[in-house]
Amino acid sequence: MGSELISLTKVILISMASLLYCYFIAPKLPKGKFRLISFLPVFSLFLVLPLYVSSAFLSSSFAFLVTWLTTFKLVLFSFNLGPLAFDSKLSFPLFASIAFLPTRIKHSKTAKYAQNQEEVDKEPRPKIPLNLPAKVVIFVMLIMGKKYYEIVDPIAKLCMNCATLYFYLDMIMCLSNVFVRSRFGVEVSRPFDEPYLATSLQNFWGRRWNRLVSETLHNAVYQPVRYEVGGPRWMAVVVVFVVSGLMHELLLYYIIRAIPTWEVTWFFVIHGLCVAVEIELKRALGKRWQIHWVVSGPLTMAFLVATAHWLFFPPLLR
Protein backbone atom coordinates (compact mmCIF):
# COMPACT_ATOMS: atom_id res chain seq x y z
CA MET A 1 0.00 0.00 0.00
CA GLY A 2 2.83 2.40 0.88
CA SER A 3 4.71 1.71 -2.34
CA GLU A 4 1.53 2.14 -4.39
CA LEU A 5 0.90 5.52 -2.76
CA ILE A 6 4.45 6.61 -3.54
CA SER A 7 4.05 5.50 -7.17
CA LEU A 8 0.75 7.34 -7.46
CA THR A 9 2.30 10.50 -6.03
CA LYS A 10 5.15 10.34 -8.55
CA VAL A 11 2.71 9.82 -11.41
CA ILE A 12 0.62 12.81 -10.35
CA LEU A 13 3.68 15.06 -9.93
CA ILE A 14 5.07 14.07 -13.33
CA SER A 15 1.65 14.71 -14.90
CA MET A 16 1.39 18.15 -13.32
CA ALA A 17 4.93 19.04 -14.39
CA SER A 18 4.10 17.94 -17.94
CA LEU A 19 0.99 20.07 -17.95
CA LEU A 20 2.94 23.07 -16.66
CA TYR A 21 5.29 22.61 -19.59
CA CYS A 22 2.37 22.59 -22.04
CA TYR A 23 0.76 25.60 -20.36
CA PHE A 24 3.86 27.79 -20.59
CA ILE A 25 5.31 26.54 -23.89
CA ALA A 26 2.12 26.88 -25.95
CA PRO A 27 1.94 30.72 -25.98
CA LYS A 28 5.52 30.86 -27.23
CA LEU A 29 4.82 28.70 -30.29
CA PRO A 30 2.40 29.25 -33.17
CA LYS A 31 -0.56 26.93 -33.28
CA GLY A 32 -0.17 23.94 -35.55
CA LYS A 33 2.42 21.29 -36.14
CA PHE A 34 5.27 23.00 -34.25
CA ARG A 35 3.21 23.22 -31.06
CA LEU A 36 2.06 19.64 -31.59
CA ILE A 37 5.66 18.42 -31.98
CA SER A 38 6.62 20.21 -28.76
CA PHE A 39 3.93 18.20 -26.93
CA LEU A 40 5.16 14.80 -28.17
CA PRO A 41 7.38 14.13 -25.10
CA VAL A 42 4.35 14.72 -22.90
CA PHE A 43 2.23 12.30 -24.93
CA SER A 44 4.96 9.66 -24.56
CA LEU A 45 5.01 10.11 -20.78
CA PHE A 46 1.21 9.89 -20.56
CA LEU A 47 1.35 6.62 -22.49
CA VAL A 48 3.63 4.84 -19.98
CA LEU A 49 2.67 6.47 -16.66
CA PRO A 50 -0.35 4.14 -15.99
CA LEU A 51 2.10 1.21 -15.93
CA TYR A 52 3.75 2.61 -12.81
CA VAL A 53 0.69 1.90 -10.62
CA SER A 54 -0.40 -1.69 -10.08
CA SER A 55 -3.98 -1.10 -8.88
CA ALA A 56 -6.45 -1.83 -11.67
CA PHE A 57 -8.71 1.00 -10.50
CA LEU A 58 -5.94 3.62 -10.35
CA SER A 59 -4.30 2.46 -13.56
CA SER A 60 -7.53 2.42 -15.58
CA SER A 61 -8.75 5.74 -14.12
CA PHE A 62 -5.45 7.48 -14.89
CA ALA A 63 -5.34 5.93 -18.37
CA PHE A 64 -8.87 7.12 -19.17
CA LEU A 65 -8.50 10.61 -17.75
CA VAL A 66 -4.91 11.40 -18.79
CA THR A 67 -3.55 8.94 -21.36
CA TRP A 68 -6.74 9.24 -23.39
CA LEU A 69 -8.71 12.42 -22.69
CA THR A 70 -5.92 14.79 -21.66
CA THR A 71 -3.79 13.70 -24.62
CA PHE A 72 -6.64 14.31 -27.05
CA LYS A 73 -7.40 17.70 -25.44
CA LEU A 74 -3.75 18.71 -25.81
CA VAL A 75 -3.73 17.58 -29.45
CA LEU A 76 -6.68 19.90 -30.06
CA PHE A 77 -4.99 22.63 -28.02
CA SER A 78 -2.01 22.38 -30.38
CA PHE A 79 -4.28 23.82 -33.07
CA ASN A 80 -6.06 26.19 -30.65
CA LEU A 81 -9.17 24.02 -30.62
CA GLY A 82 -11.11 22.07 -28.02
CA PRO A 83 -11.92 22.78 -24.34
CA LEU A 84 -8.47 24.20 -23.50
CA ALA A 85 -8.63 26.86 -26.23
CA PHE A 86 -10.77 29.48 -24.54
CA ASP A 87 -11.15 32.94 -26.01
CA SER A 88 -9.21 34.39 -23.07
CA LYS A 89 -6.17 33.00 -21.28
CA LEU A 90 -6.96 30.50 -18.52
CA SER A 91 -5.37 30.43 -15.12
CA PHE A 92 -3.24 27.34 -14.62
CA PRO A 93 -5.57 25.78 -11.95
CA LEU A 94 -8.53 26.01 -14.34
CA PHE A 95 -6.40 24.87 -17.28
CA ALA A 96 -5.25 21.80 -15.27
CA SER A 97 -8.78 21.03 -14.09
CA ILE A 98 -10.17 21.11 -17.62
CA ALA A 99 -7.25 19.04 -18.91
CA PHE A 100 -7.29 16.33 -16.21
CA LEU A 101 -10.92 16.09 -15.12
CA PRO A 102 -13.82 14.58 -17.11
CA THR A 103 -15.70 17.87 -17.30
CA ARG A 104 -17.26 19.64 -20.27
CA ILE A 105 -17.05 23.43 -20.02
CA LYS A 106 -19.65 25.43 -21.90
CA HIS A 107 -18.10 28.12 -24.08
CA SER A 108 -18.32 29.47 -27.60
CA LYS A 109 -16.03 26.88 -29.19
CA THR A 110 -18.35 24.01 -28.24
CA ALA A 111 -21.63 25.78 -28.97
CA LYS A 112 -21.82 24.58 -32.59
CA TYR A 113 -21.12 20.98 -31.59
CA ALA A 114 -23.82 21.08 -28.91
CA GLN A 115 -26.30 22.52 -31.40
CA ASN A 116 -25.53 19.76 -33.89
CA GLN A 117 -26.07 17.09 -31.25
CA GLU A 118 -29.46 18.55 -30.36
CA GLU A 119 -30.47 17.91 -33.99
CA VAL A 120 -29.51 14.23 -33.92
CA ASP A 121 -32.99 13.24 -32.80
CA LYS A 122 -35.86 15.74 -32.60
CA GLU A 123 -38.57 13.16 -31.88
CA PRO A 124 -40.30 13.73 -28.48
CA ARG A 125 -39.13 11.25 -25.86
CA PRO A 126 -40.08 10.46 -22.27
CA LYS A 127 -37.84 11.68 -19.45
CA ILE A 128 -36.68 9.83 -16.35
CA PRO A 129 -34.50 12.46 -14.66
CA LEU A 130 -32.18 11.21 -11.91
CA ASN A 131 -30.18 13.62 -9.77
CA LEU A 132 -26.73 12.89 -8.34
CA PRO A 133 -27.91 11.60 -4.92
CA ALA A 134 -30.31 9.18 -6.63
CA LYS A 135 -27.53 7.89 -8.86
CA VAL A 136 -25.23 7.39 -5.85
CA VAL A 137 -27.93 5.39 -4.04
CA ILE A 138 -28.59 3.19 -7.08
CA PHE A 139 -24.86 2.61 -7.61
CA VAL A 140 -24.35 1.60 -3.97
CA MET A 141 -27.31 -0.79 -4.20
CA LEU A 142 -25.86 -2.38 -7.34
CA ILE A 143 -22.47 -2.83 -5.68
CA MET A 144 -24.00 -4.27 -2.49
CA GLY A 145 -26.10 -6.67 -4.56
CA LYS A 146 -23.14 -7.89 -6.63
CA LYS A 147 -22.75 -11.02 -4.45
CA TYR A 148 -26.23 -12.10 -5.53
CA TYR A 149 -25.52 -11.72 -9.27
CA GLU A 150 -24.77 -15.43 -9.66
CA ILE A 151 -28.25 -16.49 -8.55
CA VAL A 152 -30.17 -14.13 -10.85
CA ASP A 153 -31.13 -14.69 -14.47
CA PRO A 154 -28.17 -14.20 -16.89
CA ILE A 155 -30.02 -11.44 -18.73
CA ALA A 156 -30.75 -9.64 -15.46
CA LYS A 157 -27.10 -10.04 -14.47
CA LEU A 158 -26.01 -8.52 -17.79
CA CYS A 159 -28.37 -5.56 -17.32
CA MET A 160 -26.97 -5.03 -13.81
CA ASN A 161 -23.41 -4.99 -15.17
CA CYS A 162 -24.42 -2.40 -17.78
CA ALA A 163 -26.19 -0.28 -15.15
CA THR A 164 -23.21 -0.47 -12.78
CA LEU A 165 -20.85 0.77 -15.50
CA TYR A 166 -23.19 3.63 -16.43
CA PHE A 167 -23.87 4.85 -12.89
CA TYR A 168 -20.18 4.64 -11.95
CA LEU A 169 -19.06 6.77 -14.92
CA ASP A 170 -21.92 9.24 -14.56
CA MET A 171 -21.36 9.61 -10.82
CA ILE A 172 -17.61 10.29 -11.21
CA MET A 173 -18.21 12.86 -13.95
CA CYS A 174 -20.99 14.58 -12.01
CA LEU A 175 -18.69 14.92 -8.97
CA SER A 176 -16.04 16.39 -11.26
CA ASN A 177 -18.62 18.89 -12.55
CA VAL A 178 -19.56 19.87 -9.00
CA PHE A 179 -15.91 20.55 -8.14
CA VAL A 180 -15.14 22.63 -11.24
CA ARG A 181 -18.39 24.61 -11.04
CA SER A 182 -18.01 25.41 -7.33
CA ARG A 183 -14.26 26.10 -7.47
CA PHE A 184 -14.09 28.23 -10.63
CA GLY A 185 -17.67 29.40 -11.15
CA VAL A 186 -17.83 28.21 -14.76
CA GLU A 187 -20.79 26.66 -16.51
CA VAL A 188 -20.50 22.92 -17.14
CA SER A 189 -22.45 20.44 -19.27
CA ARG A 190 -24.09 17.18 -18.27
CA PRO A 191 -21.81 14.19 -18.93
CA PHE A 192 -24.68 11.85 -19.88
CA ASP A 193 -28.19 12.45 -21.16
CA GLU A 194 -30.25 9.47 -19.98
CA PRO A 195 -28.66 6.91 -22.35
CA TYR A 196 -31.22 4.28 -21.32
CA LEU A 197 -33.80 6.31 -23.28
CA ALA A 198 -31.84 6.31 -26.57
CA THR A 199 -33.99 5.93 -29.69
CA SER A 200 -31.21 4.89 -32.09
CA LEU A 201 -27.52 4.03 -32.10
CA GLN A 202 -26.69 7.47 -33.51
CA ASN A 203 -28.76 9.05 -30.75
CA PHE A 204 -27.06 6.89 -28.10
CA TRP A 205 -23.44 7.45 -29.13
CA GLY A 206 -23.77 10.98 -30.52
CA ARG A 207 -25.88 12.66 -27.87
CA ARG A 208 -26.52 10.52 -24.82
CA TRP A 209 -23.53 8.32 -23.86
CA ASN A 210 -20.43 9.98 -22.38
CA ARG A 211 -20.79 13.29 -24.16
CA LEU A 212 -17.29 14.39 -23.14
CA VAL A 213 -15.70 11.52 -25.08
CA SER A 214 -18.14 12.03 -27.94
CA GLU A 215 -17.28 15.73 -28.21
CA THR A 216 -13.54 15.05 -27.94
CA LEU A 217 -13.58 12.38 -30.66
CA HIS A 218 -15.77 14.59 -32.83
CA ASN A 219 -13.25 17.44 -32.67
CA ALA A 220 -10.05 15.37 -32.76
CA VAL A 221 -11.00 12.64 -35.25
CA TYR A 222 -14.31 13.22 -37.05
CA GLN A 223 -13.71 16.80 -38.19
CA PRO A 224 -10.17 16.22 -39.55
CA VAL A 225 -11.28 13.12 -41.47
CA ARG A 226 -14.45 14.78 -42.71
CA TYR A 227 -13.17 18.24 -43.62
CA GLU A 228 -9.36 18.08 -43.82
CA VAL A 229 -9.05 14.70 -45.54
CA GLY A 230 -12.35 15.10 -47.34
CA GLY A 231 -13.76 11.70 -46.45
CA PRO A 232 -17.50 11.03 -46.65
CA ARG A 233 -19.54 11.28 -43.45
CA TRP A 234 -19.91 7.53 -43.02
CA MET A 235 -16.14 7.04 -43.28
CA ALA A 236 -15.46 9.70 -40.65
CA VAL A 237 -17.95 8.00 -38.32
CA VAL A 238 -16.33 4.59 -38.76
CA VAL A 239 -12.85 6.04 -38.14
CA VAL A 240 -14.11 7.63 -34.91
CA PHE A 241 -15.37 4.26 -33.67
CA VAL A 242 -12.16 2.49 -34.68
CA VAL A 243 -10.12 5.03 -32.69
CA SER A 244 -12.49 4.67 -29.74
CA GLY A 245 -12.16 0.88 -29.91
CA LEU A 246 -8.36 1.07 -29.91
CA MET A 247 -8.37 3.44 -26.93
CA HIS A 248 -10.71 1.14 -25.00
CA GLU A 249 -8.43 -1.76 -25.87
CA LEU A 250 -5.50 0.22 -24.46
CA LEU A 251 -7.47 0.89 -21.26
CA LEU A 252 -8.17 -2.82 -20.95
CA TYR A 253 -4.47 -3.56 -21.35
CA TYR A 254 -3.62 -1.25 -18.46
CA ILE A 255 -6.14 -3.15 -16.31
CA ILE A 256 -5.25 -6.77 -17.09
CA ARG A 257 -1.69 -6.34 -18.50
CA ALA A 258 -2.30 -9.08 -21.06
CA ILE A 259 -2.11 -9.37 -24.86
CA PRO A 260 -5.27 -7.83 -26.38
CA THR A 261 -7.95 -10.16 -27.74
CA TRP A 262 -9.44 -7.27 -29.81
CA GLU A 263 -12.99 -8.12 -28.75
CA VAL A 264 -13.55 -4.62 -27.40
CA THR A 265 -12.24 -3.08 -30.62
CA TRP A 266 -14.62 -5.21 -32.67
CA PHE A 267 -17.49 -4.08 -30.43
CA PHE A 268 -16.86 -0.46 -31.45
CA VAL A 269 -16.15 -1.32 -35.09
CA ILE A 270 -19.51 -3.09 -35.38
CA HIS A 271 -21.30 -0.16 -33.77
CA GLY A 272 -19.47 2.28 -36.01
CA LEU A 273 -20.56 0.40 -39.12
CA CYS A 274 -24.15 0.23 -37.85
CA VAL A 275 -24.20 3.96 -37.08
CA ALA A 276 -22.78 4.70 -40.55
CA VAL A 277 -25.52 2.59 -42.18
CA GLU A 278 -28.15 4.30 -40.03
CA ILE A 279 -26.90 7.76 -41.06
CA GLU A 280 -26.98 6.87 -44.76
CA LEU A 281 -30.47 5.37 -44.47
CA LYS A 282 -31.76 8.49 -42.72
CA ARG A 283 -30.22 10.65 -45.44
CA ALA A 284 -31.75 8.53 -48.21
CA LEU A 285 -35.20 7.99 -46.68
CA GLY A 286 -35.70 11.30 -44.86
CA LYS A 287 -38.91 11.46 -42.83
CA ARG A 288 -39.87 7.95 -43.95
CA TRP A 289 -37.12 6.65 -41.61
CA GLN A 290 -38.84 7.87 -38.44
CA ILE A 291 -39.84 5.04 -36.09
CA HIS A 292 -41.75 5.69 -32.88
CA TRP A 293 -39.55 5.63 -29.79
CA VAL A 294 -41.74 2.92 -28.24
CA VAL A 295 -40.33 0.56 -30.89
CA SER A 296 -36.89 2.05 -31.63
CA GLY A 297 -35.93 2.52 -27.97
CA PRO A 298 -36.18 -1.13 -26.85
CA LEU A 299 -34.59 -2.32 -30.11
CA THR A 300 -31.63 0.03 -29.59
CA MET A 301 -31.06 -1.05 -26.00
CA ALA A 302 -31.43 -4.72 -26.91
CA PHE A 303 -28.75 -4.38 -29.59
CA LEU A 304 -26.43 -2.53 -27.21
CA VAL A 305 -26.84 -5.06 -24.40
CA ALA A 306 -26.49 -8.06 -26.73
CA THR A 307 -23.29 -6.81 -28.38
CA ALA A 308 -21.86 -5.78 -25.00
CA HIS A 309 -22.54 -9.27 -23.69
CA TRP A 310 -20.89 -10.77 -26.78
CA LEU A 311 -17.78 -8.58 -27.09
CA PHE A 312 -17.40 -5.85 -24.45
CA PHE A 313 -17.84 -7.55 -21.06
CA PRO A 314 -16.15 -10.96 -21.62
CA PRO A 315 -12.55 -9.63 -21.50
CA LEU A 316 -13.36 -7.71 -18.29
CA LEU A 317 -15.11 -10.65 -16.65
CA ARG A 318 -12.30 -13.02 -17.58
Coordinates of all heavy atoms in Angstrom, one line a residue, residues 30-62:
P30 N 3.6 29.1 -32.4 CA 2.4 29.3 -33.2 C 1.6 28.0 -33.2 O 2.1 26.9 -33.1 CB 2.9 29.6 -34.6 CG 4.3 28.9 -34.6 CD 4.8 29.1 -33.2
K31 N 0.3 28.1 -33.3 CA -0.6 26.9 -33.3 C -0.3 26.1 -34.5 O 0.1 26.6 -35.6 CB -2.0 27.3 -33.2 CG -2.5 28.1 -34.4 CD -4.0 28.4 -34.3 CE -4.5 29.1 -35.6 NZ -5.9 29.5 -35.5
G32 N -0.4 24.8 -34.4 CA -0.2 23.9 -35.6 C 0.9 22.9 -35.2 O 1.0 22.5 -34.1
K33 N 1.6 22.5 -36.3 CA 2.4 21.3 -36.1 C 3.6 21.5 -35.2 O 4.0 20.6 -34.5 CB 2.9 20.9 -37.5 CG 3.7 21.9 -38.3 CD 4.1 21.4 -39.6 CE 4.9 22.4 -40.4 NZ 5.3 21.9 -41.8
F34 N 4.1 22.8 -35.1 CA 5.3 23.0 -34.2 C 4.9 22.9 -32.8 O 5.6 22.3 -32.0 CB 5.9 24.4 -34.5 CG 6.5 24.5 -35.9 CD1 5.9 25.3 -36.9 CD2 7.7 23.8 -36.1 CE1 6.5 25.4 -38.1 CE2 8.3 23.9 -37.4 CZ 7.7 24.7 -38.4
R35 N 3.7 23.4 -32.4 CA 3.2 23.2 -31.1 C 2.9 21.8 -30.8 O 3.2 21.2 -29.7 CB 2.0 24.1 -30.8 CG 1.5 24.1 -29.4 CD 0.2 24.8 -29.2 NE 0.3 26.3 -29.5 CZ -0.7 27.1 -29.4 NH1 -1.9 26.7 -29.0 NH2 -0.6 28.4 -29.7
L36 N 2.3 21.1 -31.8 CA 2.1 19.6 -31.6 C 3.3 18.8 -31.4 O 3.4 18.0 -30.5 CB 1.3 19.1 -32.8 CG 1.0 17.6 -32.8 CD1 0.0 17.3 -31.7 CD2 0.4 17.2 -34.2
I37 N 4.4 19.1 -32.1 CA 5.7 18.4 -32.0 C 6.3 18.7 -30.6 O 6.8 17.8 -30.0 CB 6.6 18.9 -33.1 CG1 6.2 18.3 -34.4 CG2 8.1 18.4 -32.8 CD1 7.0 18.9 -35.6
S38 N 6.1 19.9 -30.1 CA 6.6 20.2 -28.8 C 5.9 19.4 -27.7 O 6.5 19.3 -26.6 CB 6.5 21.7 -28.5 OG 5.2 22.1 -28.3
F39 N 4.7 19.0 -27.9 CA 3.9 18.2 -26.9 C 4.2 16.7 -27.0 O 3.8 16.0 -26.1 CB 2.4 18.4 -27.1 CG 1.9 19.8 -26.7 CD1 0.7 20.2 -27.1 CD2 2.8 20.7 -26.1 CE1 0.2 21.4 -26.7 CE2 2.3 22.0 -25.7 CZ 1.0 22.3 -26.1
L40 N 4.9 16.2 -28.0 CA 5.2 14.8 -28.2 C 5.8 14.1 -27.0 O 5.4 13.0 -26.6 CB 6.0 14.5 -29.4 CG 5.3 14.8 -30.8 CD1 6.2 14.5 -31.9 CD2 4.0 14.0 -30.9
P41 N 6.8 14.8 -26.3 CA 7.4 14.1 -25.1 C 6.3 13.9 -24.0 O 6.4 12.9 -23.3 CB 8.5 15.1 -24.7 CG 8.8 15.9 -25.9 CD 7.6 16.0 -26.7
V42 N 5.4 14.9 -23.9 CA 4.3 14.7 -22.9 C 3.4 13.5 -23.2 O 3.1 12.8 -22.4 CB 3.5 16.0 -22.8 CG1 2.3 15.9 -21.9 CG2 4.4 17.2 -22.3
F43 N 3.1 13.4 -24.5 CA 2.2 12.3 -24.9 C 2.9 11.0 -24.6 O 2.2 10.0 -24.2 CB 1.9 12.4 -26.4 CG 1.2 13.7 -26.8 CD1 1.3 14.2 -28.1 CD2 0.4 14.4 -25.9 CE1 0.6 15.3 -28.5 CE2 -0.2 15.5 -26.3 CZ -0.1 16.0 -27.5
S44 N 4.2 10.9 -24.8 CA 5.0 9.7 -24.6 C 4.9 9.3 -23.1 O 4.7 8.2 -22.7 CB 6.4 9.8 -25.0 OG 6.5 10.1 -26.4
L45 N 5.1 10.3 -22.2 CA 5.0 10.1 -20.8 C 3.6 9.6 -20.4 O 3.5 8.7 -19.6 CB 5.3 11.4 -20.0 CG 6.8 11.8 -19.8 CD1 6.9 13.1 -19.2 CD2 7.5 10.7 -19.0
F46 N 2.6 10.3 -20.9 CA 1.2 9.9 -20.6 C 0.9 8.5 -21.0 O 0.1 7.8 -20.4 CB 0.2 10.8 -21.2 CG 0.2 12.2 -20.6 CD1 -0.5 13.2 -21.2 CD2 0.8 12.5 -19.4 CE1 -0.6 14.5 -20.6 CE2 0.8 13.7 -18.8 CZ 0.1 14.8 -19.4
L47 N 1.6 8.0 -22.0 CA 1.3 6.6 -22.5 C 1.9 5.6 -21.5 O 1.3 4.5 -21.4 CB 2.0 6.4 -23.9 CG 1.7 5.2 -24.6 CD1 0.2 5.1 -24.9 CD2 2.5 5.1 -25.9
V48 N 3.0 5.8 -20.8 CA 3.6 4.8 -20.0 C 3.3 5.0 -18.5 O 3.5 4.1 -17.7 CB 5.2 4.8 -20.2 CG1 5.5 4.5 -21.6 CG2 5.8 6.2 -19.8
L49 N 2.9 6.2 -18.1 CA 2.7 6.5 -16.7 C 1.7 5.5 -16.0 O 1.9 5.1 -14.8 CB 2.2 7.9 -16.4 CG 3.3 9.0 -16.5 CD1 2.8 10.4 -16.3 CD2 4.4 8.7 -15.5
P50 N 0.6 5.1 -16.7 CA -0.3 4.1 -16.0 C 0.3 2.8 -15.6 O -0.2 2.1 -14.7 CB -1.5 3.9 -17.0 CG -1.4 5.1 -17.9 CD 0.0 5.5 -18.0
L51 N 1.4 2.5 -16.2 CA 2.1 1.2 -15.9 C 2.8 1.3 -14.6 O 3.3 0.2 -14.1 CB 3.1 0.9 -17.1 CG 2.5 0.6 -18.4 CD1 3.6 0.5 -19.5 CD2 1.5 -0.5 -18.4
Y52 N 3.0 2.5 -14.1 CA 3.8 2.6 -12.8 C 2.9 2.4 -11.6 O 3.4 2.5 -10.5 CB 4.4 4.0 -12.8 CG 5.6 4.1 -13.7 CD1 5.5 4.5 -15.0 CD2 6.9 3.7 -13.2 CE1 6.6 4.5 -15.9 CE2 8.0 3.8 -14.1 CZ 7.8 4.2 -15.4 OH 8.9 4.2 -16.2
V53 N 1.6 2.2 -11.7 CA 0.7 1.9 -10.6 C 0.1 0.5 -10.9 O -0.3 0.2 -12.0 CB -0.4 3.0 -10.4 CG1 0.1 4.2 -9.9 CG2 -1.2 3.2 -11.7
S54 N 0.0 -0.3 -9.9 CA -0.4 -1.7 -10.1 C -1.9 -1.9 -9.9 O -2.5 -2.8 -10.4 CB 0.4 -2.6 -9.1 OG 0.2 -2.2 -7.8
S55 N -2.5 -1.0 -9.1 CA -4.0 -1.1 -8.9 C -4.7 -1.0 -10.2 O -4.5 0.0 -10.9 CB -4.4 0.0 -7.9 OG -5.8 0.1 -7.9
A56 N -5.7 -1.9 -10.4 CA -6.4 -1.8 -11.7 C -7.3 -0.6 -11.7 O -7.5 0.1 -12.8 CB -7.3 -3.1 -11.8
F57 N -7.9 -0.2 -10.6 CA -8.7 1.0 -10.5 C -7.9 2.3 -10.8 O -8.3 3.1 -11.6 CB -9.4 1.1 -9.1 CG -10.1 2.4 -8.9 CD1 -11.3 2.6 -9.5 CD2 -9.5 3.4 -8.1 CE1 -12.0 3.8 -9.3 CE2 -10.2 4.6 -8.0 CZ -11.4 4.8 -8.5
L58 N -6.8 2.4 -10.1 CA -5.9 3.6 -10.4 C -5.4 3.7 -11.8 O -5.4 4.7 -12.4 CB -4.8 3.7 -9.3 CG -5.2 3.9 -7.9 CD1 -4.0 3.8 -7.0 CD2 -5.9 5.2 -7.7
S59 N -4.9 2.5 -12.2 CA -4.3 2.5 -13.6 C -5.3 2.8 -14.7 O -5.1 3.6 -15.6 CB -3.7 1.1 -13.8 OG -3.1 1.0 -15.1
S60 N -6.5 2.2 -14.6 CA -7.5 2.4 -15.6 C -8.1 3.8 -15.5 O -8.3 4.5 -16.5 CB -8.7 1.4 -15.4 OG -9.3 1.5 -14.1
S61 N -8.2 4.4 -14.3 CA -8.7 5.7 -14.1 C -7.8 6.7 -14.7 O -8.1 7.7 -15.4 CB -9.0 6.0 -12.6 OG -10.0 5.2 -12.1
F62 N -6.5 6.6 -14.4 CA -5.4 7.5 -14.9 C -5.4 7.4 -16.4 O -5.2 8.4 -17.1 CB -4.1 7.2 -14.3 CG -3.0 8.1 -14.6 CD1 -2.8 9.3 -13.9 CD2 -2.2 7.9 -15.7 CE1 -1.8 10.2 -14.3 CE2 -1.2 8.8 -16.1 CZ -1.0 10.0 -15.4

